[in-house]
C-alpha cells in the first residue's frame, strides 16, 4: 500500500499489467474494492455508474468463460461496469474507472484497460448487462507477476506503450499551430505532465488541449477508421475521460478546483473535434 504517495506519482508509476500470479485477492482487498465501487457510483458529469467484480471461480460454476483472447494471463478477477451509451457516459466511465485504477495501483494491484480484447458476450452474462446498456471497457485486477511474459512485451512493443507524444504536439496556446510554452514551475506543468501519461486505447493519445487564459478546451484527434472496430462503444471518448481524470486529480492535488462544462460555441479547428472545457479559477 502506497497510502502517502501523491497521486501525481501514482500516475507516473501505473502501467498496464497483463500477467498475473495465481494468488486469490484477500477478503479485506475484496471488501475494499467493493466499498470503492459504492463511493464511485457517479461520474463528474452526472452518469450513474455500477461496477461489478467478477471472478473466474464464480463464473465457472455458471459455465462462463471470461476470455481475453490470450492478452491477459493468469487473472482470476475482472472489473466491468455498464452504462447507457452516450458521449457523457463514455467520458464519465473513462474518468471514474481510471480513478479506481489509480487507487488500485496505490494498493499494489495490477490492472489493464481492455476495450477490445475481451469476450463481450460472456462478460455481459457475468455482470447481468441490462437492456440498452453496454460494457465500455473492463480491467483485470490482481497481483501482477514481477516479470513480463513474451506476449506482454510484444503487445507493449506493438502499441509503443512506453512512449508518449511530446508536450508540443498535445498542448497549445490559443490555436493548434502554436505549441504551449510554460515557464518553469507554472501550475499547469505538472497537470499536463499527468495528462500526457494517461493510458489510451492502442496508445493513440487522442487528447489535445488548447489553452485560452484560465479556460482550457479539450479536443479529440480521432484516428481515422479506428471507431469502426467498436460499434456501440466510443473507445476514444473513454480515452478523453481518462485524460480528464488525470487533469482533475493533479489540479486538485495542487489546490486548484477545476470546473468542467460542455460549451455550445467553441472555436473549431481542422481535424479536431471539441469535447469539453475546463475553467481553472485563479
Ligand atoms: C480505453 C482503452 C482500451 C484499451 N484496450 C486494450 C485492449 O483491448 N487490449 C490490451 O491489451 N490493451 C488495451 N489497452 C491498453 C493500452 O494498450 C495501454 O494503455 C497503452 O498501450 C499505454 O500503455 P500503459 O497503459 O502501460 O501506459 C486499452 C487502453 C485504454 C485506455
Amino acid at each position: 500500500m502506497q497510502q502517502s504517495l501523491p497521486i501525481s506519482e501514482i500516475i507516473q508509476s501505473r502501467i498496464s499489467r497483463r500477467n498475473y500470479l495465481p494468488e486469490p485477492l484477500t477478503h479485506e482487498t475484496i471488501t475494499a474494492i467493493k466499498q470503492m465501487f459504492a463511493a464511485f457510483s457517479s461520474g463528474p458529469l452526472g452518469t450513474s455508474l455500477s461496477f461489478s467484480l467478477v471472478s473466474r471461480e464464480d463464473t465457472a460454476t455458471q459455465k462462463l468463460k471470461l476470455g481475453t483472447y490470450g492478452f491477459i494471463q493468469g487473472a482470476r478477477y475482472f472489473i466491468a461496469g455498464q452504462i447507457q451509451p452516450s458521449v457523457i457516459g463514455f467520458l464519465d466511465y473513462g474518468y471514474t474507472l481510471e480513478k479506481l485504477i489509480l487507487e488500485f495501483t496505490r494498493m499494489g494491484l495490477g490492472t489493464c484497460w481492455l476495450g477490445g480484447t475481451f469476450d463481450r458476450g460472456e462478460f455481459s452474462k457475468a455482470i447481468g448487462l441490462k437492456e440498452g446498456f453496454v460494457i465500455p471497457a473492463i480491467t483485470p485486477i490482481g497481483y501482477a507477476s514481477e516479470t513480463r511474459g513474451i506476449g506482454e512485451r510484444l503487445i507493449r512493443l506493438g502499441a509503443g506503450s512506453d512512449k508518449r507524444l511530446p508536450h508540443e504536439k498535445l498542448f497549445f496556446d490559443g490555436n493548434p499551430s502554436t505549441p504551449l510554452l510554460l515557464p518553469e514551475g507554472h501550475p499547469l506543468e505538472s497537470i499536463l505532465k499527468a495528462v500526457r501519461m494517461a493510458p489510451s486505447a492502442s496508445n493513440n493519445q487522442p487528447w489535445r488541449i488548447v489553452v485560452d487564459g484560465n479556460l482550457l478546451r479539450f479536443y479529440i484527434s480521432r484516428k481515422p477508421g479506428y471507431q469502426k472496430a467498436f460499434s456501440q462503444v466510443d473507445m476514444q471518448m473513454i480515452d478523453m475521460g481518462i485524460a480528464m481524470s488525470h487533469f482533475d486529480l493533479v489540479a486538485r492535488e495542487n489546490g486548484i478546483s477545476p470546473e468542467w462544462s460542455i460549451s455550445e460555441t467553441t472555436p473549431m479547428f481542422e481535424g479536431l473535434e471539441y469535447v469539453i472545457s475546463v475553467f481553472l479559477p485563479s
Side-chain angles (χ1 to χ4, degrees):
M1 184 80 81
Q2 308 168 70
Q3 202 66 54
S4 55
L5 274 188
I7 197 71
S8 44
E9 284 183 35
I10 301 283
I11 284 174
Q12 299 300 322
S13 71
R14 182 220 55 84
I15 57 162
S16 294
R17 307 305 299 265
R18 295 182 178 84
N19 282 65
Y20 290 84
L21 299 174
E23 277 84 356
L25 294 173
T26 62
H27 285 298
E28 293 77 42
T29 303
I30 291 180
T31 307
I33 291 171
K34 290 187 175 164
Q35 279 169 350
M36 276 189 237
F37 290 166
F40 288 72
S41 61
S42 71
L45 307 173
T47 310
S48 60
L49 300 163
S50 80
F51 293 100
S52 308
L53 180 69
V54 286
S55 82
R56 273 198 200 281
E57 271 92 291
D58 297 348
T59 49
T61 55
Q62 301 167 50
K63 298 211 164 26
L64 292 176
K65 275 203 167 150
L66 304 178
T68 62
Y69 308 112
F71 276 68
I72 303 295
Q73 301 294 326
R76 297 170 72 115
Y77 306 88
F78 294 86
I79 290 169
Q82 50 180 306
I83 57 161
Q84 286 172 305
S86 72
V87 168
I88 284 178
F90 292 124
L91 290 174
D92 270 338
Y93 192 88
Y95 178 101
T96 308
L97 185 52
E98 179 65 1
K99 259 184 144 177
L100 282 166
I101 282 178
L102 293 171
E103 285 311 312
F104 301 143
T105 308
R106 189 191 288 286
M107 290 163 67
L109 297 168
T111 55
C112 179
W113 275 94
L114 295 180
T117 61
F118 71 97
D119 187 329
R120 287 184 171 271
E122 294 287 279
F123 274 90
S124 300
K125 287 183 209 153
I127 67 162
L129 187 71
K130 290 183 276 186
E131 178 87 38
F133 283 64
V134 291
I135 302 175
I138 65 166
T139 177
I141 181 159
Y143 307 110
S145 69
E146 285 293 316
T147 49
R148 285 185 198 156
I150 178 104
E152 179 162 29
R153 277 184 275 152
L154 285 174
I155 296 165
R156 292 192 67 81
L157 199 67
S161 300
D162 292 326
K163 298 191 197 125
R164 293 294 186 270
L165 291 168
H167 173 104
E168 59 272 20
K169 294 240 153 80
L170 299 172
F171 310 123
F172 306 98
D173 192 356
N175 66 73
S177 3
T178 316
L180 180 70
L181 300 175
L182 291 174
E184 224 177 283
H186 190 281
L188 270 180
E189 204 181 345
S190 57
I191 301 175
L192 297 182
K193 188 174 164 204
V195 170
R196 190 169 161 258
M197 285 311 293
S200 57
S202 306
N203 201 29
N204 278 329
Q205 308 159 64
W207 357 270
R208 303 289 180 271
I209 299 179
V210 181
V211 178
D212 182 0
N214 281 13
L215 186 70
L216 286 77
R217 297 190 184 89
F218 282 52
Y219 292 81
I220 186 168
S221 168
R222 287 191 184 275
K223 184 170 174 147
Y226 193 71
Q227 184 45 35
K228 279 200 193 113
F230 302 107
S231 71
Q232 278 190 298
V233 175
D234 190 341
M235 207 57 69
Q236 297 206 288
M237 208 47 87
I238 301 175
D239 293 341
M240 296 303 292
I242 296 172
M244 283 171 65
S245 77
H246 284 204
F247 189 103
D248 199 82
L249 285 165
V250 176
R252 286 178 196 280
E253 184 175 85
N254 294 347
I256 302 168
S257 300
E259 294 166 15
W260 297 94
S261 64
I262 297 177
S263 170
E264 301 279 316
T265 49
T266 49
M268 310 262 277
F269 304 113
E270 206 188 320
L272 297 182
E273 197 182 301
Y274 169 76
V275 178
I276 197 161
S277 307
V278 61
F279 179 73
L280 301 179
S282 41

